[in-house]
Amino acid sequence: MNAGDAAISTAKKHIEQNDFSSRNNELHVGDMAVSELMERSKGRPFYAYDRSIMSRNVEKLRRALPERISLHYAMKANPMPEVVRHISAATKGIDVASAFELRTALSTGIAPRDISFAGPGKSQEDLDAAVRAGVIIVIESELEAQRVSALANSSGVTVPVAIRVNPDFQLKASGMKMGGGSQPFGVDAEKIPLLLRNLATEPLEILGFHIFSGSQNLRPESIIDAQRQTLELAERLAPGLPGPLRWLNIGGGLGVPYFPGDQPLDLEPIMSELQSQLTRHAELLQETEVVMELGRFLVANAGIYVCQVIDKKESRGKTYLVTNGGLHHHLAVTGNFGQVIRKNYPVAIANRITDDDLEQVTIVGPLCTPLDLLGQEMLLPKARVGDLIAIYMSGAYGYTASPHQFLSHPEPAEFCL
Ligand SMILES: *Cc1c(COP(=O)(O)O)cnc(C)c1O
């Protein structure tokens, strides 16, 4: 199969997998045709998220996850309040990384003890808000531990905390490594015993550990390996705790297929291996809430980004579709959000879903930079000015992970349907 056929088959696969439905040759989100949504957004590019797809994702996980695992939503993947409310109705908890995210999480009515606040460089405002709300503060450094202790002493409350551990192993073959080696995240595993001794007399309720090694992993054997080492590390560190291990966040890292050739993760081997690990460490985990935190796995395939063709031109043998959407709205699709090599996301001409008169096009945005590339040399139904371009797999790290003000075009709209 050549690259163009691969692109087409990826787009067709997404349609066939029924992540989004199409009727009358047009893509729909819920009951809304994308052209209706474009009217609603008054011509601005938009993101649209489908609640039923998010629900399906959570359901699928629930069925696979060991029963005792608490599923948390890492809301930085998509912090739109409607999305967070929808997902949190089906998950046990939420992980936040700023005071603003914390407010959104609290607004869902989820119990403060089911909200954890992680992330390096928490401001005094962040810490104040977290202590006031009574959520679990995930301590990312020795100095942060001192700050939280000072706050606990001055406010006269016992503050629930967990320690983020920078593990002494790495998640292999991960899209983003966030643990192992030298890291700005967490406290190195070998420094944890001393830190725990130093905190022993502080008014902190040290519940346990947060061990997150990376994300966007599509290899079951790497994830299984990381989970095994995570539990072994917890076993080694737990004796330093003032009491039993009450809370253990084992991270997540489950990846989603973005590109041609990516296979969806097979959850079965991961979860059955996790279950045996939990059994192996049953004594350690007697009084432990074991948390798994996921972002993109719950939302990525539930979102599309839609923009409109403004111009169509030829340049020395290549055809360009110039759209009103681009890098400023959707940094990740242009390959500039942590990707090593740029690859095409699955794309459709949203109002020509079943057309089979194809041509090879390169889709770009309106920004004056060669980085503003939405799709490179893709074989798609022949598009005209005014047609709508839909980019699949846009439900995570889209809207809020993009530099909206670059070149000062209008912001995209967001719909949760
Ligand atoms: C970003 C992040 C996540 C979510 O990662 P996904 O790949 O979206 O699942 C989970 N935990 C922590 C600590 C994170 O920083």
Side-chain angles (χ1 to χ4, degrees), residues 50 56 111 157 206 344 398:
D50 186 320
R56 243 184 286 152
V157 294
I206 306 176
N344 288 328

Side-chain angles (χ1 to χ4, degrees), residues 8-22 27 56 353-354 392:
I8 276 288
S9 79
T10 312
K12 287 222 166 98
K13 195 180 78 197
H14 278 267
I15 295 159
E16 281 156 16
Q17 277 174 347
N18 207 19
D19 283 351
F20 292 93
S21 62
S22 62
L27 197 64
R56 243 184 286 152
I353 288 293
T354 54
Y392 295 96

